Amino acid sequence: GEEVAQTPKHLVRGEGQKAKLYCAPIKGHSYVFWYQQVLKNEFKFLISFQNENVFDETGMPKERFSAKCLPNSPCSLEIQATKLEDSAVYFCASSQSGSNQPQHFGDGTRLSIL
Amino acid sequence: GDSVTQMEGPVTLSEEAFLTINCTYTATGYPSLFWYVQYPGEGLQLLLKATKADDKGSNKGFEATYRKETTSFHLEKGSVQVSDSAVYFCALSKGSSNTGKLIFGQGTTLQVKP
């Protein structure tokens, strides 16, 4: 597609439950990025992929967060045993190449942990 | 580490006023610089970019010049409209040896009143 498609738009989970978010990058884009937006404006990089391979995971909390990009499937970001502090908007972006190319963002998934 | 600092908001202007949003960065090497805009409930949209010193990025009446000597990338527009009301993010991305992840400033909210 011509847009980065993120689903669902809003996800509500009780503390301790699992949350799974999906992202379909723009067709032909090789790189996928996940960001977490907290406190309304602050963006934090989580992880990036080059095709199905992890490219940079330096921003990922190791214990409960995982992500995949498998061929012919949307990419996914999964949070196990969610905590209140995981409440945020999670954005996915894709680009044709990783460096110096504009990233195209989806509309985000708002995760609310109750 | 690398970082981006933006002027604190919110910025409130009357329609047709001149806009400046300051952005400075700290980075080793030669980053690419970007301005993204976020409208309520939406993802980030690329507004403009510059990839090397003295480059001027421009789009929709907005412009910014990559100033290496002052490590700045200030956003300007000569005459703002109500429809420009949004949150503006300055960001950098490192060069060919890096992952391309974006490092964002804290965002500046612009409110334009009729």
Side-chain angles (χ1 to χ4, degrees):
Chain A
E2 293 298 317
E3 295 181 344
V4 175
Q6 288 189 249
T7 56
K9 284 192 178 300
H10 194 186
L11 185 60
V12 180
R13 288 288 181 266
E15 198 172 11
Q17 291 185 315
K18 181 176 73 176
K20 195 165 185 178
L21 291 58
Y22 297 92
C23 167
I26 293 173
K27 192 176 180 181
H29 283 194
S30 303
Y31 287 80
V32 171
F33 303 80
W34 284 98
Y35 296 90
Q36 180 192 54
Q37 186 180 28
V38 296
L39 298 174
K40 190 177 179 181
N41 282 354
E42 181 185 335
F43 276 87
K44 178 190 171 189
F45 167 77
L46 295 176
I47 191 169
S48 62
F49 288 84
Q50 180 183 15
N51 298 311
E52 63 267 26
N53 303 308
V54 174
F55 197 65
D56 179 356
E57 58 182 348
T58 53
M60 280 287 267
K62 294 293 184 187
E63 292 178 350
R64 299 181 296 107
F65 285 59
S66 62
K68 293 179 185 177
C69 277
L70 300 176
N72 303 314
S73 296
C75 297
S76 63
L77 176 68
E78 188 167 358
I79 308 172
Q80 302 286 345
T82 53
K83 299 181 178 181
L84 295 176
E85 67 212 43
D86 298 331
S87 295
V89 182
Y90 291 83
F91 287 97
C92 174
S94 69
S95 71
Q96 286 184 309
S97 66
S99 299
N100 299 333
Q101 293 297 314
Q103 293 179 22
H104 299 265
F105 282 76
D107 286 342
T109 292
R110 179 176 296 279
L111 176 63
S112 300
I113 306 300
L114 306 178
Chain B
D2 301 335
S3 65
V4 176
T5 302
Q6 291 181 232
M7 63 187 288
E8 295 240 357
V11 174
T12 302
L13 296 173
S14 297
E15 207 165 20
E16 299 184 5
F18 185 86
L19 169 71
T20 299
I21 300 178
N22 290 339
C23 170
T24 58
Y25 67 91
T26 301
T28 55
Y30 302 93
S32 292
L33 301 175
F34 304 86
W35 277 101
Y36 281 86
V37 59
Q38 184 178 32
Y39 298 99
E42 298 183 11
L44 295 172
Q45 298 177 26
L46 177 67
L47 185 58
L48 52 85
K49 69 170 186 173
T51 57
K52 61 183 188 297
D54 299 326
D55 267 3
K56 179 186 280 189
S58 61
N59 185 29
K60 299 181 182 179
F62 291 90
E63 59 181 34
T65 301
Y66 189 143
R67 301 282 188 203
K68 191 162 176 64
E69 63 276 12
T70 54
T71 63
S72 66
F73 193 54
H74 304 322
L75 182 68
E76 296 182 337
K77 186 174 185 183
S79 176
V80 293
Q81 305 299 314
V82 172
S83 57
D84 294 326
S85 298
V87 183
Y88 291 82
F89 292 90
C90 184
L92 70 82
S93 176
K94 294 290 284 290
S96 58
S97 62
N98 199 268
T99 63
K101 68 182 179 185
L102 289 167
I103 296 170
F104 288 93
Q106 64 269 46
T108 302
T109 299
L110 170 66
Q111 185 177 25
V112 180
K113 296 186 173 180

